[in-house]
Amino acid sequence: MIEAIVFYFFAAVLIGASFAVITVKNPVHAALFLVLAFFSASGLWLLLEAEFLAIVLVLVYVGAVMVLFLFVVMMLDINIARLREGIWAWLPFGALLAIVMVIEMWIVLGSERFGLAGTIAPEGHPAGYSNTKELGMLLYTHYVYPFEIAAVILLVAIVSAIALTMRRRKDTKSQDASAQLAARREERVRMVSMPSGRK
Amino acid sequence: MAYFQDLFGDAWPLVWTLVKIVVIVMPILGAVAYLTYFERKVIGYIQVRIGPNRVGPIGLLQPIADAVKILLKEIIIPSGANKFLFVAAPVLAIAPALVAWAVVPFSPELVLSNIDASLLFILAVTSMGVYGVIVAGWASNSKYAFLGAIRSSAQIVSYEIAMGFALVGVLMVAHSLNLGQIVKGQTGSGFWSWYFVPLFPLFLVYLISGVAETNRAPFDVAEGETEIVAGFHVEYSGMTFSVFYLAEYANMILVSALCSLMFLGGWLPPFNFAPFTWIPGFLWLLLKIAFILFLFLWFRATFPRYRYDQIMRLGWKVFIPVTLVWIVVIGAWMQTPFWLW
């Protein structure tokens, strides 16, 4: 009973927030609505007893990715009027894509394949069950190669993003911390003994 | 107790939880008020001054006078500011700082919600705190506030990585994500069984990243009054400003509590013989929290503010490699017979 109320509450907030992401005019508001959507999704995952994934969703997407996203959106001067110009010309194309996606999702998630008839509902776990441990076990034993490959792909993406945007200016003034730390007193200070001016 | 249980009937668990929340949050807010007093006193004595000494005996009523004064101040909303987000930002800043206490254990039994993944929960909740700063900076419609917000978000995101890796070391050693279990794993003959001994580099990284996470001196470039006036909260006044202030101090207390729980043995006494075991565990935890808070104030009085590029260098080029190396060292060490913890 309470679970159902919580589910419908989070689901309603999730749908409302996702809808707001694409309809609000201000891009910063859209990003904040996306944060709300992530949060509600993580609430739904908690209901499914997937606490590790739920917390990591908040930690990674809300705590890091969206912060950087907001960072960029705030600094860009986005002209909304220009973004909205071609909306009618692109509408049929977008609608077609949306319909295709809905049909695809319906085929995959349709009730005869995905519903309770096809697969049995998983049982609840006892109190001491740690799905963090289970997930770690699976990731580092059974799925270790796909996991490592995914990690390498991400690394390549990071390196290439840096390589694409890095420009080294010749006249930039940056400090070399190790050279600073290696400086000795003798190189910088010269003691001069001078006679006092007054007699 | 039974009388109240009858009175509320089915709603009793809800009411009882609310009572427990109030019992945790009220002392924290009180501690925040007196931490500001303590800070002014400590820094005063470090700088050979007396500090607040007019209101009440040795200035003890100063925080209350400040609170009353700030309650009566006008809240000014700048023109062109986004009104809703402007007011929501302080709330976004303080809520995570208080929510995280839900899973902090004060003694083996004394914890509001003993969940399995409490360490992860705390990481996730505290990572939300940065939204208060960013939203405040953006909604103020002011250049200084915006610059402060950008600096602060970049800094918090960078140091969160080092902090997360430091915690990976702790959970490797403790075999658990539960804060209560982590403290229990440090039970032994005395303070050398606490995790700060094998994890000393991670302890330092966590402590310093904690200072950076809470935007405290010497990492307080988000405020940077010498160049950007007061950073993200320059447009705030009255109660909205003081809520940011509360959030900063509540975060300090939280980081100190986590540091004592994960590295300094929480409620465990430093020696397992007579005079030390008489003191209750709760008091030991408070003493450890107070010690780390004192370090925070000491840092502020001692170090000048870091330059921005130096902060980034320290976070990315020093702390992250140190934590990564030490995680590998710990992993190898735990496989050898020389592992004693």
Side-chain angles (χ1 to χ4, degrees):
Chain A
M1 170 60 186
I2 289 177
E3 234 168 82
I5 294 174
V6 174
F7 171 79
Y8 282 113
F9 174 74
F10 278 117
V13 173
L14 174 59
I15 293 172
S18 317
F19 191 69
V21 172
I22 52 170
T23 50
V24 290
K25 286 186 177 159
N26 191 324
V28 173
H29 291 178
L32 289 173
F33 271 118
L34 192 53
V35 171
L36 182 59
F38 281 139
F39 222 84
S40 331
S42 119
L44 289 180
W45 287 6
L46 269 184
L47 276 183
L48 291 173
E49 298 186 11
E51 78 265 3
F52 180 78
L53 289 178
I55 293 174
V56 166
L57 178 71
V58 172
L59 182 61
V60 174
Y61 282 90
V62 177
V65 173
M66 286 313 294
V67 173
L68 296 179
F69 208 82
L70 263 179
F71 196 93
V72 174
V73 167
M74 282 175 180
M75 285 202 280
L76 293 178
D77 191 20
I78 298 172
N79 187 344
I80 307 204
R82 254 203 67 220
L83 281 179
R84 301 205 154 211
E85 251 168 28
I87 188 160
W88 291 111
W90 288 104
L91 192 64
F93 182 65
L96 189 70
L97 265 184
I99 290 169
V100 170
M101 275 174 72
V102 167
I103 292 173
E104 279 178 354
M105 284 174 78
W106 180 68
I107 291 171
V108 177
L109 302 175
S111 59
E112 68 254 42
R113 283 166 202 82
F114 212 69
L116 284 175
T119 47
I120 345 139
E123 284 168 35
H125 295 294
Y129 179 81
S130 157
N131 74 35
T132 314
K133 218 169 230 169
E134 293 289 308
L135 207 65
M137 280 292 188
L138 274 181
L139 268 185
Y140 286 98
T141 54
H142 200 78
Y143 294 104
V144 65
Y145 292 120
F147 182 68
E148 297 287 328
I149 291 169
V152 170
I153 291 174
L154 279 177
L155 183 67
V156 170
I158 295 171
V159 172
S160 48
I162 294 172
L164 280 176
T165 51
M166 186 149 97
R167 288 170 297 159
R168 205 180 274 282
R169 275 173 52 190
K170 289 227 171 56
D171 55 341
T172 175
K173 289 178 184 162
S174 64
Q175 290 172 320
D176 183 356
S178 48
Q180 284 181 317
L181 291 173
R184 295 268 80 85
R185 177 178 167 276
E186 295 77 42
E187 301 163 20
R188 304 289 164 94
V189 185
R190 189 165 53 97
M191 295 297 279
V192 184
S193 121
M194 283 176 76
S196 162
R198 268 193 287 176
K199 285 276 157 76
Chain B
M1 194 74 103
Y3 169 74
F4 287 111
Q5 222 157 342
D6 287 344
L7 192 67
F8 289 105
D10 286 342
W12 173 246
L14 194 70
V15 175
W16 184 227
T17 309
L18 278 176
V19 169
K20 284 195 272 192
I21 290 173
V22 171
V23 168
I24 293 176
V25 167
M26 281 298 143
I28 290 170
L29 294 181
V32 165
Y34 275 88
L35 181 57
T36 61
Y37 167 79
F38 190 53
E39 171 168 40
R40 292 167 69 181
K41 271 292 190 200
V42 167
I43 292 181
Y45 278 108
I46 289 177
Q47 295 167 349
V48 206
R49 297 184 283 117
I50 298 175
N53 63 343
R54 294 289 125 169
V55 194
I58 55 166
L60 271 174
L61 295 177
Q62 185 69 42
I64 294 160
D66 287 343
V68 171
K69 183 191 80 175
I70 219 147
L71 273 173
L72 300 173
K73 294 256 178 187
E74 185 188 357
I75 296 173
I76 301 163
I77 296 181
S79 61
N82 188 315
K83 212 166 177 179
F84 175 74
L85 288 180
F86 186 80
V87 179
V91 182
L92 282 176
I94 196 163
L98 296 179
V99 167
W101 287 93
V103 297
V104 172
F106 297 99
S107 79
E109 303 84 33
L110 213 62
V111 50
L112 176 62
S113 157
N114 191 5
I115 60 172
D116 272 342
S118 47
L119 189 60
L120 268 181
F121 176 84
I122 284 193
L123 263 182
V125 166
T126 49
S127 71
M128 298 284 301
V130 60
Y131 280 99
V133 176
I134 304 185
V135 168
W138 183 76
S140 298
N141 190 32
S142 152
K143 292 277 188 297
Y144 287 132
F146 187 55
L147 280 173
I150 282 182
R151 283 179 174 198
S152 148
S153 50
Q155 176 188 331
I156 292 180
V157 169
S158 323
Y159 277 85
E160 214 148 69
I161 302 170
M163 222 167 169
F165 277 134
L167 298 189
V168 168
V170 174
L171 62 95
M172 271 169 71
V173 177
H175 299 290
S176 176
L177 281 170
N178 182 297
L179 281 170
Q181 293 295 331
I182 290 173
V183 177
K184 276 176 202 145
Q186 302 177 56
T187 338
S189 38
F191 69 87
W192 49 88
S193 341
W194 299 349
Y195 289 154
F196 83 97
V197 182
L199 300 176
F200 193 69
L202 298 186
F203 170 62
L204 286 186
V205 166
Y206 186 83
L207 186 64
I208 299 170
S209 306
V211 181
E213 272 303 87
T214 46
N215 279 328
R216 292 281 304 173
F219 298 98
D220 57 344
V221 287
E223 297 175 28
E225 62 268 18
T226 44
E227 64 259 14
I228 52 170
V229 198
F232 65 96
H233 55 43
V234 62
E235 303 292 344
Y236 282 85
S237 63
M239 220 34 222
T240 48
F241 168 75
S242 67
V243 171
F244 274 120
Y245 216 74
L246 280 175
E248 181 183 328
Y249 284 82
N251 269 322
M252 273 166 70
I253 301 178
L254 180 68
V255 168
S256 314
L258 292 177
C259 214
S260 0
L261 285 169
M262 290 186 298
F263 294 100
L264 299 179
W267 54 78
L268 301 171
F271 298 103
N272 271 348
F273 44 82
F276 298 99
T277 43
W278 291 343
I279 301 172
F282 181 67
L283 216 62
W284 275 121
L285 183 62
L286 281 189
L287 278 174
K288 288 167 188 172
I289 295 176
F291 170 69
I292 295 173
L293 283 173
F294 177 72
L295 288 183
F296 269 79
L297 308 182
W298 194 359
F299 290 158
R300 181 175 166 188
T302 309
F303 299 117
R305 185 176 295 132
Y306 259 109
R307 214 175 52 208
Y308 193 71
D309 60 311
Q310 292 171 330
I311 291 183
M312 284 300 163
R313 180 177 167 272
L314 184 71
W316 288 97
K317 291 192 176 170
V318 181
F319 281 177
I320 293 178
V322 164
T323 48
L324 283 175
V325 167
W326 204 254
I327 285 173
V328 174
V329 169
I330 286 289
W333 192 359
M334 283 174 75
Q335 302 304 319
T336 64
F338 304 110
W339 183 255
L340 306 169
W341 284 271

